[in-house]
Amino acid sequence: MLMKVKLIPERCIACGLCQTYSELFDYHDNGIVKFAQDEDQVLEKEVEMDPAILEAIKNCPTRALLKD
Ligand code: SF4
């Protein structure tokens, strides 16, 4: 099953938490979230349902990660 994950970089405070849950997430040089293995401007992605990604989304302190 696929789910859509969305990044809202303006909300990201570069805490580094999301990558500890899932390697879907990576960071720009300034620590702001991006998708690993994607162009920097990609802010939305369909991925296989994964509990680790759901945890990352749930635990982001600023809700910079969303699931559709
Ligand atoms: S957990 Fe949220 S605030 Fe922290 S780096 Fe990831 S997206 Fe940014």
Side-chain angles (χ1 to χ4, degrees), residues 1-60:
M1 197 170 136
L2 291 172
M3 63 179 179
K4 200 185 276 179
V5 179
K6 208 165 165 178
L7 309 181
I8 308 178
E10 311 88 80
R11 291 187 184 173
C12 177
I13 55 169
C15 74
L17 190 65
C18 46
Q19 199 183 47
T20 69
Y21 288 99
S22 170
E23 294 196 342
L24 175 68
F25 305 106
D26 198 0
Y27 304 108
H28 294 279
D29 289 344
N30 61 4
I32 298 301
V33 69
K34 68 186 279 298
F35 285 120
Q37 299 163 15
D38 272 303
E39 298 299 319
D40 289 358
Q41 63 272 19
V42 175
L43 296 178
E44 225 177 83
K45 185 172 180 168
E46 286 213 324
V47 298
E48 274 298 320
M49 185 65 81
D50 175 356
I53 296 173
L54 293 177
E55 278 301 299
I57 292 169
K58 201 170 88 186
N59 285 287
C60 172

